[in-house]
Amino acid sequence: MVNVTVDPLTRIEGHLRLSTEVDANGVITDSQSSCLMFRGFERILQNQDPRDAALLVQRICGVCPTSHSLTAANALDDLFGVADTIPKDALVARNINQALNFLASHATHIYILWGPDLANPAYRDVLTPLGETGTAVWKEMVGRFAPISYKIDGESVPVGSSYLAAIPEKKRLQEAIAVIGGKMPHQVTSYPGGYTYKPNVADIGKLSSYYLQVMDFVSSYTLRVPFDTWIENTYKASSPQKAVNFVVEHLTDLVDKSVTSNDFSREAGWGDTEFYAAFGSELVGETLLGLPASLKHDKIGGYSDPSKIAFLAYGGFFNPENGDGYDPSSPAGERFLTSGIVTGSLEYQNLDTSKITESVAHAFYEDTADLHPSKGETNPFTDPDAIRFDQGSDSRYSWNKAPRYDGIPCEVGPLARMLAAKEPLVTGLALAFNENGYSAANVYTRMMARIQETAIIANELLKWVTEDYDPNGRIAVDTDLSMAKDSTGMGLWEAPRGALGHWVSTDSNSKVVNYQPVVPSTWNLSPRDSAGVPGPLEQSLIGAKINAAENSLGVNYTNPVNILHIGRSYDPCVSCAVHTIDLTGKNTPRTLRI
Ligand code: NFE
Ligand code: MG
């Protein structure tokens, strides 16, 4: 038995430490997910004027501030009792703001935080011994996704073309948010009662122009089949089976054209999506090429016990068709991306938010019972000697709390959303994997869900900008500030990484008594709970072979590429997950002692 620890795992701010036990066959038998960072927004919010929450909470994270401000705005709409009157055009403006943040965040993950792992030399070691086809595939992987220029066997490899081209698109999308958000990160326009700025006709023109430029990138790099053809045959397919069939037939056509030339370039029709769809899955595409299952992303990152996992979505994006107002307590059916619980065996249930709890049994907080977030407590340990990350899974080992739904750990994020919304392609892939004895959730379905969600949101964004938003409409309602006395609010929303909830309560002076965010990465990266059940990421590591390259290199623990893939498939963000800061400065250095 060997311990293999990856620390830090994340390529964005906030360190995630994944520690695994690996047996003699290179299979992970145990795992721990530790969030090393100590922050504290729950405590910062105490005694504040609740109106400031939508601005303050954005500082939880620079990647998804829009999501935190909108979730806060939802909680405050509820707190002030105005949610049922928010004008439709304010809701559409919030949608546009959030949709742009989804596109920027997903593009960042796919190309900057995730893609570089496809240029890992482990793949060269597997692919290049396979002759011309294997070599051509490796050249394409490194040629698209390498994040730096480096030398392999004396040969210089330039920075990946897709990686490089994606960076200005992220910038463009951030600029687009600033058009209607004032600035980005930390936009300033989402506020209880509506939206503080009324986007005008010139803004709509600017947004449309940004949109067309980003779609140029999509058609050049991401998806070589026309975007509308893809949407029509996957997202709008009449059944999950038809959506999967379309993709498999499209990939089969491409393989037929490339199989003798070994040309897997964009010019030959292989967009980054087509490329990953074929090479990332043994079941969907890889066997088409006669290559052995060298990537196997559909075989890693799954769950072995469906009774210990569920998929959770609160629902995101308002349906403009519903007109003014929304029901903050019941997003079922009234959101563009619907809410719901999907069990580990893919059964659908309605969401009941009263079943949500957080456990701190394995986290560095003073013990409490498992509490609903509306009654949540955040009392961090202050003795630095108690903050240890190396004491095993029976101990406390993370700053992350452990959220549960009806006692069950839940995966949140694009895969959960696409399953809850019954999106045909992702549902079809999950069903196909299930039927063939794979886990429905795996690294491949997580990535395909993120890619598909990006396409769906891009498709809807244009409609929100050009059809649903009325620059002559109303943008806010008057808000009676006395309504925040002795009140409570719940904001349920979706951030790029998954279901995001904020719970707020106030006292008789209208000051915040308790503010509890429960964040997507809190769900996905959670440690064990009071019953000892591991969190989603912890479960998904167990049973994985540690290294995709082991058949050519032996078990190589110095490059545990499958741990990188599995951990990063959740798009983890620790600053969101823990959102706790130590203002005394006394504890910070010791938390990194591992
Ligand atoms: Ni720091 Fe966040 C998102 C939120 S993380 S990125 O998306 O909320 O879980
Ligand atoms: Mg919290």
Side-chain angles (χ1 to χ4, degrees):
M1 195 69 72
V2 184
N3 176 277
V4 178
T5 296
V6 178
D7 173 17
L9 180 98
T10 41
R11 289 190 166 106
I12 47 175
E13 83 272 46
H15 292 173
L16 175 64
R17 177 189 200 260
L18 294 183
S19 179
T20 63
E21 296 290 332
V22 180
D23 71 12
N25 298 316
V27 174
I28 297 172
T29 56
D30 194 16
S31 67
Q32 284 172 54
S33 158
S34 294
C35 293
L36 308 188
M37 200 164 143
F38 176 47
R39 303 181 77 228
F41 276 78
E42 284 99 340
R43 298 177 70 88
I44 290 171
L45 268 291
Q46 283 171 357
N47 294 320
Q48 301 284 350
D49 184 323
R51 286 172 296 170
D52 291 339
L55 297 174
L56 292 174
V57 293
Q58 292 188 74
R59 275 66 189 175
I60 287 173
C61 180
V63 185
C64 61
T66 293
S67 317
H68 283 290
S69 74
L70 281 168
T71 309
N74 287 358
L76 299 174
D77 289 342
D78 190 22
L79 186 87
F80 286 101
V82 293
D84 59 348
T85 61
I86 308 286
K88 180 265 293 175
D89 291 302
L91 299 179
V92 176
R94 290 180 181 183
N95 277 4
I96 295 168
N97 197 329
Q98 182 66 79
L100 290 163
N101 178 235
F102 261 59
L103 301 187
S105 181
H106 284 357
T108 303
H109 183 254
I110 293 164
Y111 284 107
I112 316 295
L113 306 176
W114 158 265
D117 290 332
L118 297 175
N120 188 304
Y123 290 113
R124 176 201 54 174
D125 296 336
V126 171
L127 288 167
T128 53
L130 299 173
E132 274 183 41
T133 303
T135 304
V137 170
W138 163 246
K139 288 220 151 138
E140 213 48 60
M141 285 171 80
V142 81
R144 291 170 193 241
F145 301 116
I148 48 169
S149 170
Y150 59 96
K151 279 197 173 168
I152 295 182
D153 297 339
E155 203 182 322
S156 279
V157 175
V159 181
S161 53
S162 301
Y163 177 91
L164 213 51
I167 294 170
E169 300 312 315
K170 161 80 186 272
K171 177 167 175 273
R172 215 185 296 286
L173 287 159
Q174 298 287 86
E175 284 174 14
I177 297 175
V179 170
I180 60 162
K183 68 189 186 64
M184 182 68 191
H186 311 316
Q187 52 90 14
V188 292
T189 44
S190 302
Y191 206 66
Y195 205 70
T196 60
Y197 173 69
K198 193 180 203 177
N200 56 32
V201 175
D203 296 327
I204 294 172
K206 275 191 210 158
L207 289 177
S208 304
S209 156
Y210 278 117
Y211 182 85
L212 293 174
Q213 291 177 72
V214 173
M215 291 311 278
D216 265 355
F217 166 81
V218 170
S219 62
S220 302
Y221 289 88
T222 312
L223 193 59
R224 294 293 286 166
V225 67
F227 184 74
D228 291 345
T229 307
W230 178 272
I231 290 286
E232 211 52 51
N233 289 284
T234 58
Y235 171 51
K236 296 194 175 161
S238 56
S239 72
Q241 188 61 50
K242 286 202 169 135
V244 173
N245 287 351
F246 168 78
V247 171
V248 171
E249 281 162 23
H250 174 48
L251 297 177
T252 309
D253 283 350
L254 284 173
V255 168
D256 286 348
K257 275 192 241 154
S258 301
V259 84
T260 46
S261 62
N262 281 324
D263 180 359
F264 301 103
S265 64
R266 280 187 283 272
E267 294 68 32
W270 292 88
D272 299 328
T273 299
E274 284 100 340
F275 189 79
Y276 184 71
F279 294 103
S281 164
E282 182 184 22
L283 190 66
V284 176
E286 205 169 322
T287 48
L288 298 172
L289 288 140
L291 293 175
S294 52
L295 306 190
K296 298 187 284 194
H297 287 189
D298 48 12
K299 290 265 186 69
I300 53 170
Y303 302 111
S304 57
D305 183 349
S307 72
K308 289 202 166 61
I309 193 77
F311 304 93
L312 174 145
Y314 292 153
F317 301 102
F318 300 105
N319 260 331
E321 291 72 29
N322 292 345
D324 295 348
Y326 68 97
D327 178 354
S329 67
S330 169
E334 70 164 28
R335 301 276 170 96
F336 168 64
L337 294 178
T338 49
S339 67
I341 299 290
V342 179
T343 68
S345 41
L346 300 185
E347 281 154 17
Y348 294 80
Q349 296 172 357
N350 284 334
L351 173 75
D352 174 357
T353 57
S354 71
K355 293 184 172 171
I356 297 169
T357 53
E358 283 192 302
S359 160
V360 294
H362 290 271
F364 302 122
Y365 299 92
E366 301 299 337
D367 270 326
T368 62
D370 295 357
L371 295 172
H372 187 268
S374 63
K375 305 267 184 286
E377 293 180 16
T378 305
N379 299 309
F381 282 8
T382 50
D383 173 9
D385 290 329
I387 314 302
R388 299 286 302 260
F389 297 98
D390 57 356
Q391 304 288 292
S393 55
D394 291 339
S395 70
R396 297 173 194 268
Y397 55 90
S398 184
W399 283 108
N400 207 22
K401 296 180 182 177
R404 297 292 183 258
Y405 181 85
D406 209 8
I408 308 237
C410 292
E411 174 171 342
V412 300
L415 177 59
R417 282 191 289 258
M418 295 297 98
L419 292 175
K422 302 193 169 92
E423 193 284 325
L425 176 61
V426 177
T427 303
L429 289 172
L431 290 171
F433 286 126
N434 234 11
E435 279 161 21
N436 284 277
Y438 297 54
S439 168
N442 53 55
V443 170
Y444 182 76
T445 44
R446 249 169 239 134
M447 288 311 295
M448 290 301 289
R450 189 167 287 112
I451 291 166
Q452 183 68 347
E453 181 173 78
T454 310
I456 291 168
I457 300 287
N459 185 57
E460 209 61 26
L461 173 61
L462 191 61
K463 175 173 163 289
W464 289 329
V465 171
T466 59
E467 292 177 31
D468 293 319
Y469 177 70
D470 175 3
N472 298 313
R474 281 185 319 139
I475 206 71
V477 288
D478 291 341
T479 302
D480 179 352
L481 300 181
S482 69
M483 297 293 281
K485 279 191 181 42
D486 293 316
S487 186
T488 60
M490 174 172 72
L492 300 177
W493 192 243
E494 292 288 338
R497 284 154 196 78
L500 175 59
H502 288 193
W503 282 261
V504 57
S505 57
T506 46
D507 62 15
S508 56
N509 295 318
S510 305
K511 289 286 183 339
V512 172
V513 176
N514 200 2
Y515 200 104
Q516 293 285 332
V518 182
V519 176
S521 291
T522 320
W523 287 93
N524 288 335
L525 313 183
S526 101
R528 282 153 178 77
D529 55 31
S530 45
V533 179
L537 169 54
E538 292 184 329
Q539 289 185 38
S540 73
L541 283 162
I542 294 169
K545 283 253 188 181
I546 196 160
N547 197 325
E550 45 119 17
N551 45 0
S552 75
L553 291 180
V555 179
N556 176 0
Y557 295 128
T558 62
N559 182 13
V561 66
N562 279 352
I563 296 182
L564 310 183
H565 284 318
I566 296 168
R568 290 174 183 155
S569 69
Y570 291 90
D571 195 359
C573 176
V574 176
S575 63
C576 272
V578 180
H579 48 262
T580 303
I581 202 157
D582 173 20
L583 294 176
T584 70
K586 282 182 196 150
N587 293 325
T588 325
R590 300 296 288 276
T591 63
L592 293 174
R593 188 193 63 195
I594 49 176

